Amino acid sequence: MTIYNFSAGPAVLPKEVLQQAQAELPDWHGSGMSVMEMSHRGKEYMGIHAQAIADLRELMGIPANYKVLFLQGGAHLQFSMIPLNLLCGKDSADYVDTGEWSKKAIGEAKKFGGVNVVADNNDSKCTYVPAFADWKCDPSAAYLHYTPNETIGGVEFGWVPNTGDVPLVADMSSNILSRSYDVSKFGLIYAGAQKNIGPAGVTLVIVREDLLGQVAANTPTMLDYKIHADGDSMYNTPPTYGIYIAGLVFQWLRKNGGIAAMEQTNIAKAKLLYGAIDASNGFYHCPVSQADRSRMNVPFTLKDSALDADFLKQADARGLLQLKGHRSVGGMRASIYNAMPLAGVQALVDFMGEFARQRG
Ligand SMILES: *Cc1c(COP(=O)(O)O)cnc(C)c1O
């Protein structure tokens, strides 16, 4: 039976990447060592590290005046590192509140300075993106933070806010590499690896150079971006094996047409799944407004939540795994990241159709 894993994260990785990692596990390229066993200062690992950064730069078209950092601590630590590094003595930063991950970032930023919530969608249980025209931005804000894809609520921005001279900061944990972005519009992009990049334990930060070096006094050394940038993410021991797997994922993306090709497949996958939900005569329901539906995380409910347990049991028996929704939303959530093939979404849609006919 083919297994399709719809986990929100840690999430599915490309089969080819896992197979390559398996083949190279005990002896990387005739070195006689596993990547796990290599010194991070040795020429073998340094090569892997540099190649991963070069491939990511190529994939995302990252301009030369941006640093690529591989850090630890997850997106959660970025919620603190961002205000510590980017407030730069200013009173406050702007935040957009579109769901649970925005709220976590806001809560943490409040420990370090003023937070001005410029827009929210709390009137709707976080099911849409607030129109830019209604945002109450502060032109003297240190930066503006938003969450382009809310992994839990399934709300995704189809556009990039234009904040002028105010640096734009984005938590792309769950949609990085899934669609094209013009990196030059951002001051800083960050993402935990475990959704679209690789294994948990690596945090990617892409930051414009001029934002470095103005860290708050008493900031721990490990939380200063400039320290990591100057040390090429090797100030301390980086998460070497996770970076190696991320590098294999970047090569897999490059071999398969890059982000543009991935975006087309992601559009097709999302269309297929939302189409099935909308055509189910109310048996399935997605609460997110049409224009702001995530291509990566698709939350949906069944018309009667008493059917949830049976839906999950039958899905499991078919090899359609980890469809249970987040505890705060309930129902189901299908995460359909880059590594989820169209065939996986088709298998889910086929099952959903049968289940609705059986129990509808
Ligand atoms: C998963 C996720 C996080 C949390 O990531 P950690 O690596 O667990 O800290 C933060 N933001 C978004 C948008 C996420 O999807």
Side-chain angles (χ1 to χ4, degrees):
M1 179 168 62
T2 310
I3 297 292
Y4 292 111
N5 171 11
F6 294 92
S7 169
V12 59
L13 286 164
K15 274 266 147 12
E16 297 91 318
V17 165
L18 295 176
Q19 282 158 354
Q20 189 178 345
Q22 180 184 40
E24 295 177 348
L25 180 70
D27 178 4
W28 184 82
H29 294 199
S31 65
M33 294 179 283
S34 174
V35 175
M36 266 183 259
E37 305 170 303
M38 292 174 179
S39 163
H40 58 295
R41 313 256 177 228
K43 71 173 188 321
E44 293 91 351
Y45 178 74
M46 299 268 279
I48 290 168
H49 190 96
Q51 189 64 49
I53 292 172
D55 284 335
L56 183 69
R57 282 189 174 280
E58 165 79 27
L59 277 169
M60 291 185 72
I62 300 172
N65 63 325
Y66 285 74
K67 295 286 190 191
V68 173
L69 310 178
F70 292 125
L71 307 180
Q72 299 180 67
H76 276 85
L77 189 55
Q78 294 311 305
F79 298 160
S80 318
M81 282 179 78
I82 287 159
L84 276 167
N85 283 265
L86 302 189
L87 273 173
C88 302
K90 295 204 173 177
D91 293 335
S92 68
D94 284 353
Y95 277 74
V96 186
D97 173 6
T98 49
E100 298 227 3
W101 289 117
S102 301
K103 287 177 176 54
K104 275 215 153 177
I106 289 167
E108 198 65 15
K110 282 181 175 165
K111 297 180 179 173
F112 303 99
V115 168
N116 171 35
V117 177
V118 303
D120 71 63
N121 55 7
N122 293 331
D123 59 347
S124 75
K125 290 194 177 160
C126 308
T127 54
Y128 69 95
V129 172
F132 187 59
D134 300 331
W135 294 17
K136 305 210 164 31
C137 296
D138 172 3
S140 62
Y143 57 87
L144 181 140
H145 177 283
Y146 83 119
T147 311
N149 185 61
E150 287 282 359
T151 320
I152 293 172
V155 170
E156 185 171 19
F157 283 69
W159 45 277
V160 175
N162 179 358
T163 49
D165 291 336
V166 173
L168 182 61
V169 175
D171 177 359
M172 287 196 194
S173 292
S174 52
N175 74 345
I176 193 159
L177 302 171
S178 73
R179 59 196 298 152
S180 303
Y181 278 107
D182 177 353
V183 174
S184 73
K185 291 184 174 165
F186 296 84
L188 186 147
I189 291 168
Y190 66 101
Q194 67 272 23
K195 280 106 184 201
N196 244 346
I197 297 175
V202 180
T203 312
L204 172 69
V205 172
I206 301 166
V207 57
R208 215 174 61 211
E209 271 168 358
D210 62 279
L211 298 172
L212 300 174
Q214 300 172 71
V215 80
N218 299 328
T219 299
T221 306
M222 277 295 288
L223 303 188
D224 182 348
Y225 291 129
K226 187 158 194 307
I227 295 286
H228 294 289
D230 290 348
D232 193 19
S233 302
M234 298 206 202
Y235 171 73
N236 73 319
T237 313
T240 52
Y241 198 76
I243 293 168
Y244 154 73
I245 299 286
L248 295 185
V249 170
F250 300 155
Q251 284 170 21
W252 173 79
L253 281 167
R254 291 195 61 183
K255 263 188 277 189
N256 288 282
I259 292 178
M262 201 48 61
E263 180 164 8
Q264 290 314 309
T265 309
N266 288 333
I267 291 170
K269 280 151 53 185
K271 207 171 151 206
L272 181 59
L273 183 47
Y274 287 113
I277 292 168
D278 292 343
S280 69
N281 290 318
F283 189 85
Y284 301 108
H285 173 69
C286 171
V288 182
S289 72
Q290 291 275 350
D292 306 320
R293 288 177 166 184
S294 170
R295 292 176 187 164
M296 295 286 101
N297 310 98
V298 181
F300 61 93
T301 52
L302 275 56
K303 70 166 187 198
D304 178 359
S305 62
L307 298 172
D308 286 5
D310 191 34
F311 179 92
L312 287 166
K313 194 169 151 222
Q314 290 196 35
D316 248 48
R318 295 249 199 144
L320 306 169
L321 307 186
Q322 310 216 51
L323 285 162
K324 192 171 164 53
H326 190 271
R327 58 189 181 278
S328 68
V329 181
M332 308 298 150
R333 175 174 48 170
S335 293
I336 51 175
Y337 297 117
N338 283 348
M340 172 59 64
L342 185 62
V345 179
Q346 187 63 59
L348 173 59
V349 163
D350 291 347
F351 164 66
M352 287 169 67
E354 282 175 41
F355 188 83
R357 280 192 291 283
Q358 180 195 116
R359 309 296 300 267

